[in-house]
């Protein structure tokens, strides 16, 4: 088959190169004493935890208009880092209302007390047992963050998350809690036909199997924290505070007047929503424009 040893060596090198591409990246264990956040990186049929070099330095005080949500999640996180009973949390609601940013702000607040965050994408939930094995027994407290999570009809990866939340064979260790953000309260799509399965049992209304299946995953989160669009007054107040802060950081002063108000309102109409993200994006634009005029 091979005419000489050089042909054999060449073939072996090609085989080894192909196998090497399938293997996960050779990385050491994460040093959690100096790393506060990591991402799970999939590689072929395996994966590894990749430390995050820098975490956005957002603080709880930077998040405006969601005081109730901040208090609920802050209390739960404080319980968790202190070793007290704490819940898994589903943060659901409109895009851009500060769900994932709130989790990052809590990480910055409690990192010195041992809080760590591992972000896992939806498609990588099947690797949860591997992640658990790598952090089980660590002295730190880990929040598994699944950001912008939702499942479509026919997807089965949610069953791994369901098992991890339910205390089955794949149950999370005691030093792990899940913080999941989603635009959907039930994480699964809801259809009008789902309501056709309701029936009366002993004079009580019971949901059909389809609704029960879709709510069963969300029911496994002890806390549901809703995030909704702001009222116009809340949006204006948020724009006022953010523009003032950004202007002060740039060494200028921005006056809240009718021109600024009208521009902020038009921006929200163009974006078709009033939320924290829209207010921040407009404020960056407005303050940047003022700085350009002064340059």
């Amino acid at each position: 088959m091979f005419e000489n040893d050089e042909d054999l060596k060449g073939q072996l090198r090609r085989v080894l190169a192909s196998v090497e591409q399938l293997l996960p990246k050779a990385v050491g264990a994460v040093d959690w004493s100096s790393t506060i956040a990591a991402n799970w990186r999939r590689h072929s049929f395996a994966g590894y935890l990749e430390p995050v070099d820098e975490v956005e330095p957002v603080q709880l005080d930077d998040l405006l208009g969601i005081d109730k949500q901040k208090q609920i999640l802050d209390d739960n996180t404080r319980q968790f880092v202190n070793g007290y009973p704490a819940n898994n949390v589903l943060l659901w609601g409109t895009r851009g209302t500060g769900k994932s940013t709130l989790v990052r702000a809590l990480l910055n607040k409690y990192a010195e007390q041992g809080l760590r965050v591992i972000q896992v994408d939806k498609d990588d939930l099947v690797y949860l047992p591997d992640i658990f094995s790598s952090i089980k027994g660590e002295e730190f407290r880990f929040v598994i963050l699944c950001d912008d999570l939702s499942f479509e009809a026919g997807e089965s990866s949610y069953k791994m998350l369901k098992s991890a939340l339910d205390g089955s064979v794949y149950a999370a260790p005691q030093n792990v809690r899940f913080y999941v953000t989603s635009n959907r309260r039930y994480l699964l799509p809801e259809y009008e036909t789902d309501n056709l399965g309701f029936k009366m049992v002993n004079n009580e209304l019971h949901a059909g199997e389809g609704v029960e299946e879709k709510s069963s995953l969300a029911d496994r989160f002890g806390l549901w924290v809703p995030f909704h669009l702001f009222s116009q007054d809340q949006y204006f107040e948020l724009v006022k505070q953010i523009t003032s802060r950004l202007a002060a950081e740039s060494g200028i002063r921005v006056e809240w007047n009718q021109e600024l108000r009208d521009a902020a309102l038009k921006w929200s109409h163009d974006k078709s929503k009033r939320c924290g993200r829209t207010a921040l994006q407009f404020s960056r634009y407005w303050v940047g424009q003022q700085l350009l005029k002064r340059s």
Side-chain angles (χ1 to χ4, degrees):
M1 181 175 180
F2 299 101
E3 295 183 0
N4 52 52
D5 289 344
E6 289 303 317
D7 290 341
L8 175 60
K9 291 177 181 179
Q11 180 66 17
L12 288 174
R13 281 195 292 268
R14 288 190 290 273
V15 171
L16 289 174
S18 299
V19 171
E20 190 175 45
Q21 292 179 8
L22 296 175
L23 296 175
K25 181 180 178 181
V27 294
V30 176
D31 181 6
W32 292 111
S33 63
S34 59
T35 299
I36 66 173
N39 292 315
W40 177 262
R41 295 299 186 193
R42 182 171 30 152
H43 189 284
S44 187
F45 51 81
Y48 58 94
L49 287 171
E50 180 183 66
V52 175
D53 294 331
E54 293 185 14
V55 177
E56 180 185 2
V58 62
Q59 304 299 319
L60 286 178
D61 290 341
D62 297 332
L63 303 178
L64 308 174
I66 54 172
D67 292 339
K68 183 177 180 180
Q69 292 90 336
K70 285 195 294 184
Q71 188 62 57
I72 293 172
L73 204 59
D74 189 19
D75 286 346
N76 190 71
T77 305
R78 190 149 42 96
Q79 291 170 213
F80 181 45
V81 297
N82 280 288
Y84 305 148
N87 278 300
N88 298 303
V89 185
L90 172 61
L91 301 92
W92 68 276
T94 307
R95 300 185 308 274
T97 47
K99 300 183 292 296
S100 57
T101 305
L102 176 52
V103 178
R104 291 194 292 272
L106 288 167
L107 171 61
N108 290 327
K109 178 177 179 179
Y110 291 108
E112 291 187 359
Q113 298 181 39
L115 183 66
R116 301 292 184 264
V117 168
I118 297 174
Q119 184 158 337
V120 181
D121 291 336
K122 175 182 70 173
D123 294 336
D124 294 333
L125 289 173
V126 293
Y127 297 104
L128 283 177
D130 296 332
I131 297 173
F132 295 159
S133 296
S134 68
I135 60 178
K136 186 176 182 180
E138 291 280 355
E139 61 180 335
F140 301 96
R141 298 278 169 170
F142 295 89
V143 163
I144 304 293
L145 173 61
C146 300
D147 195 20
D148 197 20
L149 184 65
S150 64
F151 300 97
E152 300 303 325
E155 286 188 295
S156 59
S157 57
Y158 79 92
K159 293 182 179 179
M160 181 60 75
L161 176 59
K162 192 174 176 180
S163 297
L165 294 167
D166 200 30
S168 67
V169 175
Y170 300 112
Q174 288 299 310
N175 63 338
V176 171
R177 290 295 181 273
F178 284 89
Y179 283 8
V180 170
T181 75
S182 179
N183 302 326
R184 295 171 174 168
R185 181 175 58 173
Y186 292 119
L187 300 174
L188 293 163
E190 299 176 68
Y191 304 111
E192 184 178 355
T193 54
D194 292 339
N195 297 319
L196 299 178
F198 279 84
K199 57 185 177 180
M200 294 294 295
V201 178
N202 295 327
N203 294 321
E204 292 184 352
L205 188 62
H206 290 260
E209 292 181 0
V211 174
E212 287 288 350
E213 173 64 18
K214 291 182 178 182
S215 63
S216 65
L217 177 56
D219 285 345
R220 283 163 170 75
F221 292 90
L223 289 175
W224 292 1
V225 184
F227 289 71
H228 303 296
L229 291 177
F230 295 158
S231 68
Q232 183 166 291
D233 288 341
Q234 288 175 317
Y235 170 71
F236 283 148
E237 183 61 29
L238 190 56
V239 169
K240 183 178 180 181
Q241 294 185 49
I242 297 177
T243 52
S244 296
R245 188 188 72 209
L246 293 179
E249 291 173 355
S250 302
I252 65 173
R253 183 175 180 275
V254 171
E255 181 181 354
W256 178 255
N257 53 28
Q258 190 64 41
E259 180 187 8
L260 175 52
R261 183 183 183 280
D262 291 345
L265 181 61
K266 182 179 183 304
W267 187 280
S268 69
H269 288 168
D270 292 342
K271 289 285 187 177
S272 300
K273 66 168 50 182
R274 295 186 298 264
C275 64
R277 180 180 296 164
T278 302
L280 176 61
Q281 291 170 344
F282 169 76
S283 299
R284 287 171 174 167
Y285 161 78
W286 186 263
V287 173
Q289 287 290 301
Q290 307 314 304
L291 288 168
L292 284 177
K293 292 177 182 178
R294 288 167 167 78
S295 63

